[in-house]
Amino acid sequence: MEKLSFLTEDQVRVVRERFGSPVFVYDQNTLERRAREVLHFPNAFGLTARYAMKALPTAAIIKVLTDTGLHIDASSGFEAERALRAGVPPEKIQITAQQIPADFKELVEKGVLYNSCSLHQLQHYGEHFPGSKVTVRINPGLGSGHSNRTNVGGPSSSFGIWHEHLPQLYEIAARYHLTVTGMHTHIGSGSDPDVWVNVVKLSLGIAAKMPDVRTLSLGGGYKVARMNYEKDADLQVIGKKVVPEFEAFAREHGRKLHLEVEPGTYLAANCGAVVATIIDMVNTGAEGYKFLKVDSGMTEVLRPSLYGAQHPIVVVPQQAEPRGVEYYLVAGHCCESGDVLTPEPGNPEGLKTRMLTHARIGDALVIEGAGAYCSGMASKHYNSFPEGAEVLLTTTGELKLIRKRQSLDQVIENEIIA
Ligand SMILES: *Cc1c(COP(=O)(O)O)cnc(C)c1O
């Protein structure tokens, strides 16, 4: 059976009492510990580590992570703007985006870094900033994501400039007198150090053909164990295997490449939990299931419905008392059959029961591993449910509200009756 990770049962009860339900709780200790691990990523010739803020873009979290020395990877102009408003200096923000921001020029003039992710984006950069230094995202032709929906490299991924299109890339660079000083790859989740070494070899092979490149970003995609049978990527092991590759490149090409990494999941995933409430229980007969229904679901945690992703689930009785166990399915509160928190692993169409503490209506249900791609990615406002609140459990053990619960007024504030 799964256990609470950073909260105690009593804290769960206090959280629900003080902040209502559903509510996200994030653990500052875990965030800072993870940040230190990332900042100690082994490297041959220097390191810049960025937090991929799309994982969890709340200002207080950005502040906690950037205070440790992390820079920011932003996935849109809006994210960059959010980071600026959270107090991050522009030169510590790099945009790697699918869509050129409307205020592209203003952002770059402010000092925000812009990583060109397609030939079109590079051309756009050249038109606005001829004669400057640029970095480019390359699709090295290989992906390692855990599902089709998270694969971000290889021929079936649209992210980055295809590795065989360097001639076109340099044609554009020459036209606008751009110097390509940085190469970036981000090809998906993994924990196997040998896969990382292969990716690095492949990337260095491409960087060898780019004579002015001095920085190589390996992106994010470091796998995190949410479930107890999963395995965390070991940054020390991966990094130590990568160092000799950078050293060999330096000997062969006379260039000491600065390393960049930009994890999102690794920093945020296990720092967060959703505290929800069991609002109903439904039994579908001898051939069916026992369902727990909660006042959360895809409105806070969309990943199970999207990928069949697994999150640990813990029932916390309203009052501390001994209870037995039971097999349940857990469903969310949306009128949508896909709103389940217990899909079959890797298959959002399937269902798989979980052994949980015997539950009663009114008990709390905690969804763990909900720091990354939950609050930031949820199915906002479906069934008109307002966004839940967010709370930070600080290093001194205080529970601090960092995002208020939305009101219905806020959900509909931009609507106009014709
Ligand atoms: C999403 C993203 C990341 C972070 O990926 P994780 O799997 O969360 O570590 C890093 N870099 C870029 C460009 C991204 O789009």
Side-chain angles (χ1 to χ4, degrees), residues 341-413:
L341 290 163
T342 48
E344 206 180 298
N347 175 22
E349 312 276 310
L351 297 170
K352 187 156 190 294
T353 56
R354 287 275 181 100
M355 189 172 77
L356 301 174
T357 297
H358 187 89
R360 299 207 187 112
I361 292 175
D363 287 344
L365 182 138
V366 181
I367 307 157
E368 292 278 352
Y373 305 104
C374 287
S375 166
M377 193 198 232
S379 170
K380 285 199 172 105
H381 301 166
Y382 186 46
N383 291 197
S384 298
F385 286 114
E387 271 179 1
E390 293 184 313
V391 168
L392 183 70
L393 175 61
T394 67
T395 47
T396 53
E398 283 170 274
L399 291 162
K400 282 198 176 154
L401 188 65
I402 58 168
R403 187 182 77 181
K404 291 189 232 172
R405 187 177 303 285
Q406 265 189 330
S407 64
L408 178 64
D409 286 337
Q410 289 174 313
V411 174
I412 61 174
E413 69 187 348

Side-chain angles (χ1 to χ4, degrees), residues 8 38 52 59 61 70 90 101 192 206 231 247 264 288 315 317 328 366 384 402:
T8 64
V38 170
I61 303 298
L70 290 169
D192 183 348
I206 299 167
K231 206 170 156 276
E247 287 169 347
V315 170
Y328 296 107
V366 181
S384 298
I402 58 168

Side-chain angles (χ1 to χ4, degrees), residues 289-294 296-311 313 328-354 365 367 379 382:
Y289 299 101
K290 287 177 176 152
F291 283 91
L292 301 180
K293 279 196 192 170
V294 292
S296 177
M298 60 199 287
T299 47
E300 280 74 34
V301 183
L302 184 60
R303 302 177 67 258
S305 309
L306 210 52
Y307 317 122
Q310 304 293 301
H311 287 262
I313 292 173
Y328 296 107
L329 289 178
V330 181
H333 55 170
C334 291
C335 299
E336 158 69 43
S337 58
D339 190 10
V340 281
L341 290 163
T342 48
E344 206 180 298
N347 175 22
E349 312 276 310
L351 297 170
K352 187 156 190 294
T353 56
R354 287 275 181 100
L365 182 138
I367 307 157
S379 170
Y382 186 46

